[in-house]
Short mmCIF file of all heavy atoms in Angstrom, two decimals:
data_model
loop_
_atom_site.label_atom_id
_atom_site.label_comp_id
_atom_site.label_asym_id
_atom_site.label_seq_id
_atom_site.Cartn_x
_atom_site.Cartn_y
_atom_site.Cartn_z
N ASN Y 611 39.85 16.82 273.89
CA ASN Y 611 38.46 16.42 273.58
C ASN Y 611 37.64 17.61 273.13
O ASN Y 611 37.67 18.68 273.74
CB ASN Y 611 37.80 15.79 274.82
CG ASN Y 611 38.47 14.48 275.22
OD1 ASN Y 611 38.77 13.64 274.37
ND2 ASN Y 611 38.69 14.31 276.52
N ASP Y 612 36.91 17.41 272.05
CA ASP Y 612 35.97 18.43 271.55
C ASP Y 612 34.55 18.04 271.96
O ASP Y 612 34.24 16.86 272.15
CB ASP Y 612 36.05 18.52 270.01
CG ASP Y 612 37.46 18.85 269.53
OD1 ASP Y 612 38.07 19.76 270.09
OD2 ASP Y 612 37.94 18.16 268.61
N ARG Y 613 33.69 19.06 272.06
CA ARG Y 613 32.28 18.76 272.33
C ARG Y 613 31.42 19.57 271.36
O ARG Y 613 31.28 20.79 271.51
CB ARG Y 613 31.91 19.13 273.77
CG ARG Y 613 30.52 18.64 274.18
CD ARG Y 613 30.27 18.86 275.65
NE ARG Y 613 30.09 20.29 275.95
CZ ARG Y 613 30.01 20.78 277.18
NH1 ARG Y 613 30.14 19.97 278.22
NH2 ARG Y 613 29.85 22.08 277.39
N ILE Y 614 30.94 18.88 270.39
CA ILE Y 614 30.10 19.53 269.39
C ILE Y 614 28.92 18.62 269.04
O ILE Y 614 28.85 17.47 269.48
CB ILE Y 614 30.90 19.85 268.11
CG1 ILE Y 614 31.61 18.60 267.57
CG2 ILE Y 614 31.92 20.95 268.36
CD1 ILE Y 614 32.37 18.82 266.31
N TRP Y 615 27.99 19.16 268.25
CA TRP Y 615 26.77 18.43 267.93
C TRP Y 615 27.02 17.30 266.95
O TRP Y 615 28.12 17.14 266.40
CB TRP Y 615 25.73 19.42 267.39
CG TRP Y 615 26.23 20.24 266.22
CD1 TRP Y 615 26.17 19.90 264.91
CD2 TRP Y 615 26.86 21.51 266.29
NE1 TRP Y 615 26.74 20.87 264.14
CE2 TRP Y 615 27.17 21.89 264.97
CE3 TRP Y 615 27.21 22.39 267.35
CZ2 TRP Y 615 27.79 23.10 264.65
CZ3 TRP Y 615 27.81 23.59 267.03
CH2 TRP Y 615 28.10 23.93 265.70
N GLU Y 616 25.97 16.56 266.71
CA GLU Y 616 26.06 15.40 265.82
C GLU Y 616 26.19 15.83 264.37
O GLU Y 616 26.04 17.01 264.03
CB GLU Y 616 24.83 14.51 265.99
CG GLU Y 616 24.69 13.92 267.38
CD GLU Y 616 23.44 13.08 267.51
OE1 GLU Y 616 22.65 13.03 266.53
OE2 GLU Y 616 23.24 12.48 268.58
N ASP Y 617 26.46 14.83 263.50
CA ASP Y 617 26.60 15.04 262.06
C ASP Y 617 27.75 16.00 261.72
O ASP Y 617 27.67 16.76 260.76
CB ASP Y 617 25.29 15.58 261.45
CG ASP Y 617 24.12 14.62 261.66
OD1 ASP Y 617 24.37 13.40 261.66
OD2 ASP Y 617 22.99 15.10 261.86
N VAL Y 618 28.81 15.94 262.51
CA VAL Y 618 30.01 16.73 262.25
C VAL Y 618 31.19 15.77 262.13
O VAL Y 618 31.36 14.88 262.96
CB VAL Y 618 30.26 17.76 263.37
CG1 VAL Y 618 31.61 18.45 263.15
CG2 VAL Y 618 29.15 18.78 263.40
N THR Y 619 32.01 15.98 261.12
CA THR Y 619 33.19 15.13 260.89
C THR Y 619 34.44 15.86 261.37
O THR Y 619 34.68 17.00 260.97
CB THR Y 619 33.33 14.77 259.40
OG1 THR Y 619 32.15 14.09 258.96
CG2 THR Y 619 34.55 13.89 259.18
N ILE Y 620 35.21 15.18 262.20
CA ILE Y 620 36.47 15.76 262.70
C ILE Y 620 37.63 14.88 262.23
O ILE Y 620 37.65 13.68 262.48
CB ILE Y 620 36.46 15.84 264.24
CG1 ILE Y 620 35.25 16.65 264.72
CG2 ILE Y 620 37.77 16.45 264.75
CD1 ILE Y 620 35.13 16.70 266.23
N SER Y 621 38.59 15.49 261.56
CA SER Y 621 39.75 14.73 261.06
C SER Y 621 40.76 14.51 262.18
O SER Y 621 40.67 15.11 263.25
CB SER Y 621 40.42 15.49 259.91
OG SER Y 621 41.07 16.65 260.40
N ASP Y 622 41.73 13.64 261.92
CA ASP Y 622 42.84 13.46 262.85
C ASP Y 622 43.78 14.65 262.77
O ASP Y 622 43.80 15.39 261.77
CB ASP Y 622 43.61 12.17 262.51
CG ASP Y 622 42.78 10.93 262.74
OD1 ASP Y 622 41.90 10.96 263.62
OD2 ASP Y 622 43.01 9.93 262.03
N TRP Y 623 44.57 14.84 263.81
CA TRP Y 623 45.57 15.89 263.78
C TRP Y 623 46.63 15.57 262.73
O TRP Y 623 47.09 14.43 262.63
CB TRP Y 623 46.25 16.03 265.14
CG TRP Y 623 45.38 16.64 266.22
CD1 TRP Y 623 44.75 15.99 267.23
CD2 TRP Y 623 45.07 18.02 266.37
NE1 TRP Y 623 44.05 16.85 268.02
CE2 TRP Y 623 44.23 18.13 267.51
CE3 TRP Y 623 45.38 19.17 265.66
CZ2 TRP Y 623 43.72 19.34 267.96
CZ3 TRP Y 623 44.89 20.38 266.11
CH2 TRP Y 623 44.06 20.48 267.24
N ALA Y 624 47.04 16.58 261.97
CA ALA Y 624 48.06 16.41 260.94
C ALA Y 624 49.11 17.50 261.07
O ALA Y 624 48.79 18.65 261.43
CB ALA Y 624 47.42 16.46 259.55
N TYR Y 625 50.35 17.16 260.76
CA TYR Y 625 51.45 18.11 260.90
C TYR Y 625 51.25 19.32 259.99
O TYR Y 625 50.92 19.19 258.81
CB TYR Y 625 52.77 17.41 260.55
CG TYR Y 625 53.96 18.33 260.49
CD1 TYR Y 625 54.50 18.88 261.65
CD2 TYR Y 625 54.56 18.64 259.27
CE1 TYR Y 625 55.60 19.72 261.59
CE2 TYR Y 625 55.67 19.47 259.20
CZ TYR Y 625 56.17 20.02 260.36
OH TYR Y 625 57.26 20.86 260.30
N ALA Y 626 51.47 20.53 260.56
CA ALA Y 626 51.31 21.76 259.80
C ALA Y 626 52.61 22.54 259.66
O ALA Y 626 52.80 23.29 258.69
CB ALA Y 626 50.26 22.65 260.47
N GLY Y 627 53.54 22.41 260.62
CA GLY Y 627 54.81 23.14 260.56
C GLY Y 627 55.38 23.33 261.94
O GLY Y 627 54.87 22.80 262.94
N MET Y 628 56.46 24.16 262.01
CA MET Y 628 57.12 24.39 263.30
C MET Y 628 57.55 25.85 263.43
O MET Y 628 57.90 26.50 262.44
CB MET Y 628 58.36 23.50 263.44
CG MET Y 628 58.09 22.02 263.55
SD MET Y 628 59.62 21.05 263.81
CE MET Y 628 60.46 21.34 262.25
N TYR Y 629 57.48 26.34 264.65
CA TYR Y 629 58.10 27.60 265.03
C TYR Y 629 59.33 27.28 265.87
O TYR Y 629 59.29 26.41 266.74
CB TYR Y 629 57.15 28.46 265.87
CG TYR Y 629 56.00 29.07 265.11
CD1 TYR Y 629 54.70 28.62 265.32
CD2 TYR Y 629 56.20 30.12 264.21
CE1 TYR Y 629 53.63 29.19 264.64
CE2 TYR Y 629 55.13 30.70 263.52
CZ TYR Y 629 53.85 30.22 263.74
OH TYR Y 629 52.79 30.79 263.06
N LEU Y 630 60.42 28.02 265.63
CA LEU Y 630 61.62 27.88 266.45
C LEU Y 630 61.96 29.25 267.02
O LEU Y 630 62.21 30.20 266.26
CB LEU Y 630 62.80 27.34 265.62
CG LEU Y 630 64.13 27.19 266.37
CD1 LEU Y 630 63.99 26.22 267.54
CD2 LEU Y 630 65.24 26.72 265.43
N LEU Y 631 61.98 29.35 268.33
CA LEU Y 631 62.26 30.61 269.00
C LEU Y 631 63.60 30.53 269.71
O LEU Y 631 63.83 29.62 270.53
CB LEU Y 631 61.17 30.94 270.03
CG LEU Y 631 59.85 31.52 269.51
CD1 LEU Y 631 59.14 30.56 268.56
CD2 LEU Y 631 58.93 31.90 270.66
N ASN Y 632 64.52 31.46 269.39
CA ASN Y 632 65.84 31.51 270.01
C ASN Y 632 65.93 32.72 270.92
O ASN Y 632 65.66 33.86 270.50
CB ASN Y 632 66.93 31.58 268.93
CG ASN Y 632 66.99 30.34 268.08
OD1 ASN Y 632 67.10 29.24 268.59
ND2 ASN Y 632 66.90 30.50 266.76
N ASN Y 633 66.32 32.48 272.17
CA ASN Y 633 66.43 33.55 273.16
C ASN Y 633 67.47 34.58 272.71
O ASN Y 633 68.59 34.23 272.34
CB ASN Y 633 66.80 32.98 274.52
CG ASN Y 633 66.45 33.90 275.65
OD1 ASN Y 633 66.66 35.11 275.56
ND2 ASN Y 633 65.92 33.35 276.74
N LYS Y 634 67.11 35.86 272.75
CA LYS Y 634 68.02 36.93 272.34
C LYS Y 634 69.12 37.15 273.38
O LYS Y 634 70.16 37.74 273.06
CB LYS Y 634 67.23 38.22 272.13
CG LYS Y 634 66.26 38.17 270.95
CD LYS Y 634 65.50 39.48 270.82
CE LYS Y 634 64.51 39.42 269.65
NZ LYS Y 634 63.74 40.68 269.50
N ASP Y 635 68.91 36.70 274.60
CA ASP Y 635 69.90 36.85 275.66
C ASP Y 635 70.98 35.78 275.48
O ASP Y 635 70.74 34.59 275.67
CB ASP Y 635 69.23 36.72 277.03
CG ASP Y 635 70.21 36.94 278.18
OD1 ASP Y 635 71.39 37.25 277.91
OD2 ASP Y 635 69.79 36.80 279.34
N GLU Y 636 72.19 36.20 275.12
CA GLU Y 636 73.27 35.25 274.87
C GLU Y 636 73.71 34.52 276.14
O GLU Y 636 74.33 33.46 276.06
CB GLU Y 636 74.47 35.98 274.26
CG GLU Y 636 74.18 36.56 272.87
CD GLU Y 636 75.40 37.24 272.28
OE1 GLU Y 636 76.43 37.33 273.00
OE2 GLU Y 636 75.32 37.68 271.13
N ASP Y 637 73.39 35.07 277.30
CA ASP Y 637 73.79 34.44 278.56
C ASP Y 637 72.67 33.59 279.16
O ASP Y 637 72.79 33.10 280.29
CB ASP Y 637 74.19 35.51 279.59
CG ASP Y 637 75.42 36.29 279.15
OD1 ASP Y 637 76.29 35.69 278.50
OD2 ASP Y 637 75.49 37.49 279.45
N ALA Y 638 71.60 33.38 278.40
CA ALA Y 638 70.47 32.59 278.90
C ALA Y 638 70.91 31.16 279.17
O ALA Y 638 71.69 30.58 278.42
CB ALA Y 638 69.33 32.62 277.90
N LYS Y 639 70.41 30.58 280.26
CA LYS Y 639 70.71 29.20 280.62
C LYS Y 639 69.46 28.35 280.45
O LYS Y 639 68.40 28.84 280.05
CB LYS Y 639 71.21 29.13 282.06
CG LYS Y 639 72.43 29.99 282.33
CD LYS Y 639 73.62 29.57 281.48
CE LYS Y 639 74.83 30.43 281.77
NZ LYS Y 639 75.99 30.07 280.90
N ASP Y 640 69.61 27.06 280.76
CA ASP Y 640 68.49 26.13 280.59
C ASP Y 640 67.22 26.63 281.27
O ASP Y 640 66.14 26.57 280.70
CB ASP Y 640 68.86 24.76 281.17
CG ASP Y 640 69.73 23.96 280.20
OD1 ASP Y 640 69.95 24.45 279.09
OD2 ASP Y 640 70.17 22.87 280.58
N PHE Y 641 67.37 27.11 282.51
CA PHE Y 641 66.17 27.50 283.24
C PHE Y 641 65.53 28.77 282.67
O PHE Y 641 64.41 29.12 283.02
CB PHE Y 641 66.49 27.70 284.73
CG PHE Y 641 67.66 28.61 285.00
CD1 PHE Y 641 67.49 29.99 285.05
CD2 PHE Y 641 68.92 28.09 285.22
CE1 PHE Y 641 68.56 30.82 285.30
CE2 PHE Y 641 70.00 28.93 285.47
CZ PHE Y 641 69.82 30.30 285.52
N ASP Y 642 66.26 29.50 281.80
CA ASP Y 642 65.70 30.69 281.15
C ASP Y 642 64.99 30.34 279.84
O ASP Y 642 64.42 31.22 279.22
CB ASP Y 642 66.81 31.71 280.85
CG ASP Y 642 67.48 32.22 282.12
OD1 ASP Y 642 66.77 32.44 283.10
OD2 ASP Y 642 68.71 32.37 282.12
N LYS Y 643 65.03 29.08 279.43
CA LYS Y 643 64.53 28.64 278.12
C LYS Y 643 65.37 29.28 277.01
O LYS Y 643 65.04 30.33 276.47
CB LYS Y 643 63.05 28.95 277.95
CG LYS Y 643 62.15 28.14 278.87
CD LYS Y 643 60.68 28.38 278.56
CE LYS Y 643 59.80 27.54 279.48
NZ LYS Y 643 58.36 27.77 279.24
N VAL Y 644 66.46 28.62 276.67
CA VAL Y 644 67.37 29.11 275.64
C VAL Y 644 66.68 29.10 274.28
O VAL Y 644 66.86 30.00 273.47
CB VAL Y 644 68.65 28.25 275.61
CG1 VAL Y 644 69.59 28.73 274.51
CG2 VAL Y 644 69.34 28.30 276.96
N ASN Y 645 65.90 28.05 274.03
CA ASN Y 645 65.12 28.00 272.79
C ASN Y 645 63.82 27.25 273.04
O ASN Y 645 63.66 26.57 274.05
CB ASN Y 645 65.92 27.36 271.65
CG ASN Y 645 66.40 25.96 271.98
OD1 ASN Y 645 65.77 25.25 272.76
ND2 ASN Y 645 67.52 25.56 271.40
N GLU Y 646 62.87 27.41 272.11
CA GLU Y 646 61.59 26.71 272.18
C GLU Y 646 61.19 26.26 270.79
O GLU Y 646 61.28 27.04 269.83
CB GLU Y 646 60.50 27.61 272.77
CG GLU Y 646 60.71 27.99 274.21
CD GLU Y 646 59.55 28.80 274.77
OE1 GLU Y 646 58.82 29.43 273.97
OE2 GLU Y 646 59.36 28.79 275.99
N LEU Y 647 60.77 25.02 270.68
CA LEU Y 647 60.30 24.48 269.41
C LEU Y 647 58.80 24.20 269.53
O LEU Y 647 58.38 23.43 270.39
CB LEU Y 647 61.04 23.19 269.07
CG LEU Y 647 60.56 22.48 267.80
CD1 LEU Y 647 60.97 23.28 266.56
CD2 LEU Y 647 61.12 21.07 267.72
N TYR Y 648 58.01 24.84 268.67
CA TYR Y 648 56.56 24.62 268.64
C TYR Y 648 56.24 23.70 267.47
O TYR Y 648 56.42 24.08 266.31
CB TYR Y 648 55.81 25.96 268.49
CG TYR Y 648 55.85 26.80 269.73
CD1 TYR Y 648 56.97 27.57 270.05
CD2 TYR Y 648 54.76 26.85 270.59
CE1 TYR Y 648 57.01 28.34 271.19
CE2 TYR Y 648 54.78 27.65 271.75
CZ TYR Y 648 55.91 28.39 272.04
OH TYR Y 648 55.94 29.16 273.17
N ASP Y 649 55.81 22.49 267.79
CA ASP Y 649 55.42 21.52 266.77
C ASP Y 649 53.92 21.71 266.53
O ASP Y 649 53.09 21.31 267.35
CB ASP Y 649 55.74 20.11 267.26
CG ASP Y 649 55.76 19.09 266.14
OD1 ASP Y 649 55.81 19.48 264.97
OD2 ASP Y 649 55.72 17.88 266.46
N VAL Y 650 53.57 22.31 265.39
CA VAL Y 650 52.20 22.74 265.13
C VAL Y 650 51.44 21.70 264.30
O VAL Y 650 51.96 21.23 263.28
CB VAL Y 650 52.17 24.10 264.40
CG1 VAL Y 650 50.73 24.56 264.18
CG2 VAL Y 650 52.95 25.14 265.21
N TYR Y 651 50.22 21.39 264.73
CA TYR Y 651 49.35 20.45 264.02
C TYR Y 651 47.99 21.10 263.77
O TYR Y 651 47.62 22.08 264.44
CB TYR Y 651 49.17 19.16 264.84
CG TYR Y 651 50.25 18.13 264.58
CD1 TYR Y 651 51.58 18.39 264.89
CD2 TYR Y 651 49.94 16.90 264.01
CE1 TYR Y 651 52.56 17.45 264.65
CE2 TYR Y 651 50.92 15.94 263.76
CZ TYR Y 651 52.23 16.23 264.09
OH TYR Y 651 53.19 15.30 263.83
N LYS Y 652 47.25 20.55 262.83
CA LYS Y 652 45.93 21.07 262.52
C LYS Y 652 44.95 19.93 262.25
O LYS Y 652 45.35 18.80 261.95
CB LYS Y 652 45.98 21.99 261.30
CG LYS Y 652 46.37 21.28 260.01
CD LYS Y 652 46.42 22.25 258.84
CE LYS Y 652 46.84 21.52 257.55
NZ LYS Y 652 46.90 22.45 256.40
N LYS Y 653 43.69 20.22 262.36
CA LYS Y 653 42.64 19.27 262.00
C LYS Y 653 41.44 20.05 261.47
O LYS Y 653 41.29 21.25 261.74
CB LYS Y 653 42.22 18.42 263.20
CG LYS Y 653 41.55 19.18 264.33
CD LYS Y 653 41.18 18.25 265.46
CE LYS Y 653 40.56 19.01 266.64
NZ LYS Y 653 40.19 18.09 267.74
N THR Y 654 40.60 19.41 260.71
CA THR Y 654 39.43 20.06 260.12
C THR Y 654 38.16 19.54 260.79
O THR Y 654 38.07 18.37 261.16
CB THR Y 654 39.36 19.80 258.61
OG1 THR Y 654 39.32 18.39 258.38
CG2 THR Y 654 40.55 20.41 257.91
#
C-alpha cells in the first residue's frame, strides 16, 4: 500500500525482469540457499 496525496495516478505492477543468483559454494545445500530468483516488477 502506498500513501500519497490526491490527483496522483499509480499504474499496476508490470514485469521488468529477473535476477538469478547462484551460490559460489559448490557444497551449498538447500538451507544455504543454493540459488535465488528475483522476479522484478515496476510501476509508475
Side-chain angles (χ1 to χ4, degrees):
N611 295 316
D612 302 313
R613 189 172 71 188
I614 54 178
W615 54 88
E616 297 178 356
D617 300 327
V618 173
T619 302
I620 303 177
S621 70
D622 294 331
W623 288 103
Y625 173 72
M628 292 183 295
Y629 288 110
L630 179 60
L631 281 61
N632 295 306
N633 201 318
K634 294 179 180 179
D635 183 3
E636 295 182 355
D637 296 326
K639 303 299 181 183
D640 280 356
F641 52 84
D642 297 321
K643 292 186 179 179
V644 179
N645 57 29
E646 294 184 336
L647 176 71
Y648 288 80
D649 197 15
V650 182
Y651 272 64
K652 65 181 179 180
K653 66 180 177 179
T654 58

